[in-house]
Amino acid sequence: MSRGRGSEWSRVLRIAIGVLGVALALPRPALAQSPSAPPSAPAPQPPPSAPATSPGPGGPRTPYEAALEQRLLQMDATIQKLSNQVDHLSTRLREAEARAPASFNGARIGPGTAGVVTAPRLPAALPDGGGAADDGNGTEEVGFGGLASGFGPAAELPSSRFSMPYAPPNRSAQARWGPGFQIRSDDDEYDIQFHNLTQLDGRFYGVPNQKPVADTFDIARQWFVFNGHLTKPYEYYVSFNNSFDTFSALDVFLNVNYDKRMQFRFGRFKSPYTYEFYAQPTEALASGEWSVFFNNFGMNRDVGTMLWGESVAGRIDYAAGIFNSTPNAQFDLSNPKSVIAFLNFAPWRPRAGSPLENFNVGGSLVAGEQDHVPVPQELRTIVPTSGSNVIGVPFLAFNNNVVTAGPRNLWDLHLAYFYRSLMVLGEWGSGFEDYALANHTNNRVRLPIESFYVQTSYFLTGETMASRGRVKPLRSFDLRPGRFGPGAWELVFRYADLSLGRQVFTAGLADPNLWTDRLFTTDLAVNWYWNAYIRVMFDWQHAGFGSPVIYAPTRFSSVSNLYMLRFEVWF
């Protein structure tokens, strides 16, 4: 309720009381007077020698007039009393509105109040760290709309006598842009940020009549990200993702950061396995998507808890945690949990300006057990972990009676180097997973996995890199007079190889007549950054299969070509 509404109610009440008083003050005939008395026969006046009351300015008063005067005096006293109460209530209401938190946390809607909110009586000042005080008179009902406090009718109101429920203090804030939209308190203790990632693709293949894969325009990713601080050490992050044909919570976690060298995180977030996934933002991937090894065997996002830190001794980044370890899932499909850990060493990082300043080497691992259906069930060339079967070309599908059963131990070594406009990345991934047939889980098959990729990129327009991230073009793309610029142009090359043990066929895990146990992919891409927020990417991916794979009923092919055009908006 605004301050003006309190004085408005005061005026309305004054007018109503005044009208009532005037109505009561109007002269009325005596109760004994006959309504049928003729107008030509006025009532006889009492003799002057025997007045009933003291004479007034207009002559002696009748008993009726004397009674009416007494009633008017009583009514005037009542009006004055009500007027004083209205003034008092209006003042109290304005004070409460001025001092209460903006959200009116602690107010509640009681049963049967018909939209009237029971609001707390507030103190002269709200202490930072204490709840709103109760003046000892209970609560008062005030008209207040648009409340979304989440309090039930049995919840008590905030009071200085208790620590719970607590009414957060009202803080002033300011808004700013770049990157994303942020609202933060003046003391920088609290803030909320909104970020957006939009990736719109056109994916087209050189092989006609593929089934179920098809040429298509698609929404590869649409992320809505909310993050910020609830006092500086406590960081929250919530994001939602629409990817291809699914919508879900992407990241939901709390991070405790008193020292960047040792932080604690709990929730659902990027698991620390492989450099290309953990150390590179998704929106900054040079080739648009991850390598074929991570897409099919990486953990992606997972639910768990993790200790992590950066720039320990200025050179070491690490992370280690316990996770559900069901790739890209919201919950675990089996009881065993997995350890996932990451270590990166940048020995020359403190030497600013050195050619080796941004040289990184390290590794990561996943160790644990599984007991569920394979995730993903179908391995594909470009779709990460699990996604629409219309998007990525499959090269191997596990039979329907196959389950994971036993240890899964994967490791990865990485090297990453950035110097001026050049980037060089390389990773070797290896390990094994145990599988079994659903009706013979005691007969486990250990399936070896080997993979590597090398990737390089170079900015033709002179932009420099320390790692992957947001690009600030030296001259943003603009066609307006006086602002003309070409944007930033980056050329990208990647070669990746993946092979599985022959056990995948000899043990009956997949059909050798339809699928292959080895493939390679080659990516050639061009990134055109219009400004720090918009990228246009073209990527040609050529995939070669160790043996022909089925791409349509009764049709097989040894190669696949994908031509992908992507428009990306990221802020």
Side-chain angles (χ1 to χ4, degrees), residues 360-436:
N360 303 264
V361 63
S364 54
L365 62 86
V366 178
E369 294 199 0
Q370 304 176 93
D371 182 16
H372 53 73
V373 297
V375 178
Q377 184 87 25
E378 194 172 73
L379 310 185
R380 293 192 284 270
T381 55
I382 196 170
V383 177
T385 312
S386 59
S388 173
N389 58 9
V390 176
I391 303 298
V393 174
F395 61 89
L396 186 142
F398 290 101
N399 293 330
N400 292 333
N401 62 338
V402 173
V403 296
T404 60
R408 173 186 55 195
N409 296 325
L410 302 173
W411 50 87
D412 177 271
L413 298 177
H414 69 259
L415 182 149
Y417 178 59
F418 303 88
Y419 181 64
R420 295 183 179 176
S421 300
L422 175 68
M423 176 195 75
V424 178
L425 296 179
E427 292 194 70
W428 170 59
S430 183
F432 62 85
E433 293 194 31
D434 282 12
Y435 294 86

Side-chain angles (χ1 to χ4, degrees), residues 1-10 89-104 107 115-119 122 140-147:
M1 180 186 297
S2 65
R3 295 186 178 183
R5 291 189 61 182
S7 57
E8 179 182 344
W9 280 108
S10 175
L89 292 175
S90 299
T91 301
R92 294 288 302 279
L93 179 59
R94 288 194 296 270
E95 292 175 352
E97 291 172 344
R99 296 163 185 160
S103 63
F104 256 86
V116 176
V117 176
T118 305
L122 300 173
E140 59 181 337
E141 290 187 343
V142 296
F144 186 79
L147 186 68

Side-chain angles (χ1 to χ4, degrees), residues 177-441:
W177 167 269
F181 180 76
Q182 180 189 45
I183 301 175
R184 66 177 183 179
S185 62
D186 290 337
D187 59 4
D188 286 338
E189 287 288 325
Y190 303 88
D191 76 308
I192 182 171
Q193 301 176 33
F194 171 73
H195 301 272
N196 174 87
L197 172 64
T198 301
Q199 292 181 343
L200 306 174
D201 290 357
R203 301 191 181 205
F204 306 96
Y205 296 87
V207 179
N209 302 319
Q210 289 193 103
K211 296 293 181 182
V213 178
D215 295 345
T216 183
F217 293 102
D218 62 79
I219 302 174
R221 293 175 181 87
Q222 175 55 61
W223 293 2
F224 301 103
V225 181
F226 303 88
N227 67 294
H229 297 80
L230 299 172
T231 68
K232 288 182 179 179
Y234 305 113
E235 304 164 350
Y236 65 91
Y237 193 103
V238 178
S239 63
F240 301 93
N241 174 39
N242 182 85
S243 182
F244 303 126
D245 54 0
T246 60
F247 183 86
S248 65
L250 185 68
D251 299 282
V252 182
F253 65 83
L254 174 70
N255 189 69
V256 181
N257 179 11
Y258 281 93
D259 187 327
K260 70 176 184 178
R261 295 169 297 180
M262 179 174 286
Q263 304 177 52
F264 171 75
R265 182 173 293 181
F266 183 87
R268 187 176 194 265
F269 48 88
K270 293 178 73 171
S271 59
Y273 181 63
T274 76
Y275 180 93
E276 64 172 328
F277 178 70
Y278 183 63
Q280 296 188 101
T282 304
E283 55 273 18
L285 293 173
S287 299
E289 298 292 347
W290 298 290
S291 69
V292 65
F293 172 71
F294 179 83
N295 280 341
N296 293 287
F297 293 98
M299 297 301 100
N300 209 301
R301 282 164 169 82
D302 204 351
V303 182
T305 183
M306 179 176 77
L307 284 175
W308 68 288
E310 52 187 344
S311 291
V312 177
R315 296 174 171 87
I316 299 173
D317 311 312
Y318 72 93
I322 300 175
F323 295 84
N324 285 341
S325 72
T326 299
N328 210 34
Q330 301 285 349
F331 50 84
D332 206 349
L333 298 179
S334 58
N335 287 323
K337 301 296 177 278
S338 294
V339 173
I340 306 178
F342 174 91
L343 181 66
N344 182 68
F345 183 46
W348 293 281
R349 182 182 292 166
R351 299 184 182 180
S354 167
L356 297 176
E357 176 186 0
N358 298 307
F359 175 84
N360 303 264
V361 63
S364 54
L365 62 86
V366 178
E369 294 199 0
Q370 304 176 93
D371 182 16
H372 53 73
V373 297
V375 178
Q377 184 87 25
E378 194 172 73
L379 310 185
R380 293 192 284 270
T381 55
I382 196 170
V383 177
T385 312
S386 59
S388 173
N389 58 9
V390 176
I391 303 298
V393 174
F395 61 89
L396 186 142
F398 290 101
N399 293 330
N400 292 333
N401 62 338
V402 173
V403 296
T404 60
R408 173 186 55 195
N409 296 325
L410 302 173
W411 50 87
D412 177 271
L413 298 177
H414 69 259
L415 182 149
Y417 178 59
F418 303 88
Y419 181 64
R420 295 183 179 176
S421 300
L422 175 68
M423 176 195 75
V424 178
L425 296 179
E427 292 194 70
W428 170 59
S430 183
F432 62 85
E433 293 194 31
D434 282 12
Y435 294 86
L437 302 182
N439 53 348
H440 296 90
T441 54

Side-chain angles (χ1 to χ4, degrees), residues 11 217 520 543:
R11 290 193 298 270
F217 293 102
F520 70 88

